[in-house]
Amino acid sequence: MKKLKIDELIPGMITAEDVYNYNDQLILPKGLVLNDKSISKLQFYAIYQIRIEDESIVSAEEPLVLESLPFDNISEPEPASEEISEEGESAPDDNPKTEPAEKSKKERPAPRYEPITVVPASDISSEKGGFSLPTASRREKMVSSEDFKQFKQAFNEEVQDFKSKLNEVVLKNAPLEVNTLLDDALNLVSQAHQSAYGIFDMLHSMRENDDTTYTHCINVGLFCNVFAGWLKLSEEETNLATLCGLLHDVGKLRVPEELLKKTETYTEEDKAAIKAHTREGYLLVKDLDIDSHIKNAILTHHERCDGSGYPFGLSGFRIDPYAKMVAIADVYDAMTSTRAHRGAMSPIQAIEVMQEEGLQKYDVRFIMIFLENVMNTFIGNRVLLSSGEKGEIIFINKSNITRPTIKCQNHFVNLDEEKDIQIISML
């Protein structure tokens, strides 16, 4: 086998090992004959290179095999102290069979959670950061605006303050003051709402920041706050969702920094160490007097509705609904951020990938509302098309949200009809 860069791949080549995405999920299996679609999928995931079969090159290297972590010393996620909403869809059979990723010596069934009651996507309004008004050179105007400069300064100060507070908890066993963390996050939310731009707009324009664990946690917390608004949750539920996002990756503070910044391909041991952050985070907070939904989100935000996640391989109603919300915001922020081992996707590319995976891996009601509303925040943004033209997003096609209508000088391009034209980047 030999390793090739993505731009060196051509249809007909055969993968020499399984290819995993940013979240250690299989996207291309070993032995797959590449075609244009599979090569594009690699580009969407910002994967730089893969190994392909080559009979003239002999290698003893075996493909990576992902192993789930043993969780013999911790219990499965705690049931919530109270339900999020009294209303909700009926749950499936009382005794569904779920197979944890690694069985403990003494099994016990995971709890079941009632779903959050949400408003259908078609009923969502522009409240809480949803829709952007079409404006020429919107991003350029935003970056030079006083609102953006003030928000950026406040955000950077909050990152440093958040880092200091979490390190006190992790290194010195200081109490976790969740109300203080929440107030600080809500101050950022309030500042964003008072501006002419939304949180998503401004955070997308701050991607030059180092994507440390602290920055990522604040991003996910703010995304969860806006997401809760789109779901029409109560103020109490919105605050809880914000805290779940802020603290979801606290366990990464116990992962060696050099591993998080590693640029080489992860070994099996590396993958296991990184996956351990969910367990480490849970152990940090399990005895603290904080809402059980926060503990569950820390432990299970990498679970997926189809049972493909970790650490327990939970599915459906076995996953805390707040963990489901965090999972969506977490993946979106991770995909659109530059990491040490890969580049960032454009937001629209990330949405395309999440839409493709969404019906299987995420709560359907959550993912559709999230993706549609995020796409609506791009109205008014300028983009570069594969045709070489530059234009402005003026309309989101509800039937195909990642194929909007673009205004290019004297004509319009409906990407839902012009199948051969792609959005290359946002300007």
Side-chain angles (χ1 to χ4, degrees):
M1 68 179 72
K2 61 182 178 181
K3 186 178 290 187
L4 293 182
K5 296 179 179 179
I6 300 306
D7 57 8
E8 296 175 323
L9 299 177
I10 59 175
M13 290 181 172
I14 301 173
T15 56
E17 63 180 9
D18 293 338
V19 180
Y20 295 89
N21 70 359
Y22 55 90
N23 197 33
D24 295 336
Q25 294 171 343
L26 182 68
I27 59 172
L28 295 183
K30 178 182 178 181
L32 177 73
V33 179
L34 295 176
N35 56 26
D36 289 335
K37 183 175 181 180
S38 55
I39 294 174
S40 295
K41 190 172 186 178
L42 293 170
Q43 293 171 333
F44 279 160
Y45 279 101
I47 295 172
Y48 293 131
Q49 53 190 4
I50 64 170
R51 288 185 172 88
I52 64 166
E53 293 288 357
D54 186 339
E55 295 181 355
S56 65
I57 298 178
V58 179
S59 173
E61 184 175 352
E62 294 293 330
L64 293 178
V65 177
L66 295 183
E67 295 182 356
S68 302
L69 292 178
F71 283 83
D72 292 338
N73 298 322
I74 61 174
S75 62
E76 298 211 15
E78 302 180 21
S81 56
E82 57 183 82
E83 301 298 345
I84 301 172
S85 174
E86 293 182 356
E87 299 179 11
E89 298 176 10
S90 59
D93 183 77
D94 288 339
N95 297 297
K97 297 179 180 179
T98 57
E99 294 293 336
E102 186 76 23
K103 294 183 179 180
S104 62
K105 295 179 180 179
K106 184 177 180 181
E107 292 186 359
R108 64 189 180 107
R112 279 182 18 212
Y113 297 96
E114 293 294 331
I116 294 176
T117 301
V118 301
V119 178
S122 59
D123 296 337
I124 298 295
S125 71
S126 60
E127 295 178 19
K128 299 203 77 169
F131 298 85
S132 303
L133 297 176
T135 306
S137 303
R138 176 180 176 83
R139 180 153 300 190
E140 290 86 348
K141 288 185 177 180
M142 178 183 66
V143 171
S144 62
S145 71
E146 195 61 34
D147 286 344
F148 177 78
K149 293 176 182 177
Q150 291 176 0
F151 178 84
K152 185 175 182 179
Q153 179 179 349
F155 182 91
N156 290 335
E157 291 173 355
E158 173 58 18
V159 168
Q160 296 305 313
D161 188 49
F162 184 71
K163 177 179 179 179
S164 175
K165 289 173 180 174
L166 284 193
N167 283 336
E168 288 288 316
V169 173
V170 175
L171 301 177
K172 301 181 181 179
N173 294 317
L176 181 62
E177 301 290 347
V178 292
N179 290 333
T180 301
L181 296 179
L182 178 62
D183 287 343
D184 292 342
L186 293 182
N187 285 336
L188 285 176
V189 172
S190 176
Q191 187 167 332
H193 287 333
Q194 292 171 9
S195 75
Y197 309 99
I199 290 175
F200 277 73
D201 281 326
M202 291 196 280
L203 292 183
H204 282 145
S205 297
M206 292 169 54
R207 291 309 195 186
E208 74 277 5
N209 290 349
D210 291 335
D211 186 46
T212 64
T213 296
Y214 312 100
T215 302
H216 172 64
C217 283
I218 293 177
N219 286 345
V220 174
L222 297 182
F223 285 162
C224 283
N225 182 276
V226 178
F227 190 8
W230 292 336
L231 295 174
K232 298 295 185 183
L233 302 188
S234 68
E235 180 179 357
E236 181 180 356
E237 292 166 343
T238 298
N239 291 343
L240 184 52
T242 306
L243 282 170
C244 287
L246 284 173
L247 295 170
H248 79 286
D249 259 356
V250 65
K252 281 189 176 177
L253 301 185
R254 285 188 167 175
V255 177
E257 186 175 1
E258 60 271 17
L259 180 56
L260 295 175
K261 293 184 176 181
K262 183 176 179 179
T263 58
E264 297 83 11
T265 302
Y266 287 144
T267 65
E268 290 184 54
E269 292 76 15
D270 292 339
K271 290 176 182 290
I274 291 176
K275 281 187 173 184
H277 79 275
T278 58
R279 173 182 179 275
E280 292 295 333
Y282 179 78
L283 294 175
L284 275 171
V285 303
K286 72 173 186 175
D287 295 325
L288 300 183
D289 184 20
I290 59 176
D291 194 289
S292 59
H293 286 296
I294 301 174
K295 300 176 184 180
N296 292 340
I298 291 170
L299 179 60
T300 63
H301 64 274
H302 281 288
E303 300 286 3
R304 296 294 179 260
C305 289
D306 62 357
S308 64
Y310 66 86
F312 301 114
L314 303 178
S315 60
F317 285 88
R318 300 294 187 184
I319 306 173
D320 188 302
Y322 286 96
K324 292 179 179 180
M325 288 181 64
V326 170
I328 293 171
D330 174 41
V331 168
Y332 178 77
D333 187 65
M335 293 172 75
T336 56
S337 300
T338 299
R339 295 290 172 85
H341 58 287
R342 60 163 176 79
M345 289 187 194
S346 77
I348 293 180
Q349 286 178 330
I351 290 173
E352 286 179 330
V353 173
M354 293 180 72
Q355 185 179 39
E356 183 178 335
E357 297 180 342
L359 298 182
Q360 290 76 41
K361 297 188 180 297
Y362 308 102
D363 188 305
V364 175
R365 300 158 307 145
F366 288 0
I367 191 68
M368 297 311 296
I369 288 176
F370 181 84
L371 297 182
E372 182 176 330
N373 278 280
V374 172
M375 278 301 303
N376 277 314
T377 67
F378 300 148
I379 293 176
N381 279 305
R382 292 178 59 78
V383 295
L384 172 65
L385 302 178
S386 58
S387 62
E389 295 181 291
K390 297 179 181 179
E392 176 186 332
I393 298 176
I394 63 167
F395 179 74
I396 304 300
N397 297 302
K398 284 186 174 291
S399 61
N400 194 353
I401 59 173
T402 60
R403 305 293 292 172
T405 298
I406 314 296
K407 181 181 179 182
C408 299
Q409 293 187 341
N410 299 324
H411 67 286
F412 299 90
V413 179
N414 184 350
L415 296 183
D416 196 28
E417 297 176 354
E418 302 287 344
K419 305 296 185 183
D420 295 333
I421 301 178
Q422 309 293 327
I423 294 177
I424 300 299
S425 62
M426 301 182 69
L427 304 176

